[in-house]
Amino acid sequence: TGARWPADPKIWLHAAVVGVLLHGIYLGGVFFAVSRGTSAGVSALIVGVQPILTALLAGLALGERLSKFAWLGLGLGFIGVGFVVGGRADAGGGWIGIVSCIASLIGITVATLYQKRFATGIDLRVGSAIQFAAAAVPMWVLALTVEQGHIEWTGECIFAMAWLVLVLSFGAVTLLNILIRRGATSKVASLFYLVPPVVAIEAYFLFGETIGAMALFGMAMTVVGVALVTRG
């Protein structure tokens, strides 16, 4: 695309660190937990702590300050997520799934703060290329270690891979990086609260899963919480 590669080795290092944390530990950790039987509810609840943890650490590391209304919004958002996924939060996956989700929580939190502190000036195309390459190294090592190297090329597999690569890795992560550049990390992180309600709505239309009164109440609480955090 004609993007210029950075001449400073530190820029390469910063982008690589974000890549390992974001694409490797965060996404890899969640998918590994799910592959070991951890439910979507459990993983969503654990990773759902991320906006609060990010806000706490952003105050220490970046000097960001939130208003009382914003802190109230973070609390409401977390409680709302609990209502949305509460009915699905079975304890599947065992301790290894829980540990993987906690690692994912730490990975996305540190990646967000690190990106804001050290890597906001990198060209998005160059930064993404370095991030993917850096994350590929530990993922390849893990694949050779714990996987069997067998893939069943079904239509569902191809669709899922295409979605994860194009929509998630290229689309969503690029949007995340743009948001981190333009706003406070704690406010950007609060948008993650909207993931469980949106997934519940998608599951209703795609798979016929029911949405109970508790989930609807949680969705409303989550939306109000995010609005309080991002206002102004």
Side-chain angles (χ1 to χ4, degrees), residues 109-126:
T109 302
V110 177
T112 302
L113 297 173
Y114 195 96
Q115 174 82 4
K116 182 69 173 182
R117 179 66 177 83
F118 297 106
T120 54
I122 304 175
D123 183 280
L124 289 174
R125 297 162 294 176
V126 173

Side-chain angles (χ1 to χ4, degrees), residues 21 25-26 29-30 46 97-109:
L21 290 170
I25 297 178
Y26 168 53
V30 170
I46 295 176
I98 300 298
V99 171
S100 297
C101 290
I102 293 175
S104 297
L105 166 64
I106 297 173
I108 181 62
T109 302

Side-chain angles (χ1 to χ4, degrees), residues 90 95 192:
D90 57 280
W95 66 267
F192 279 79

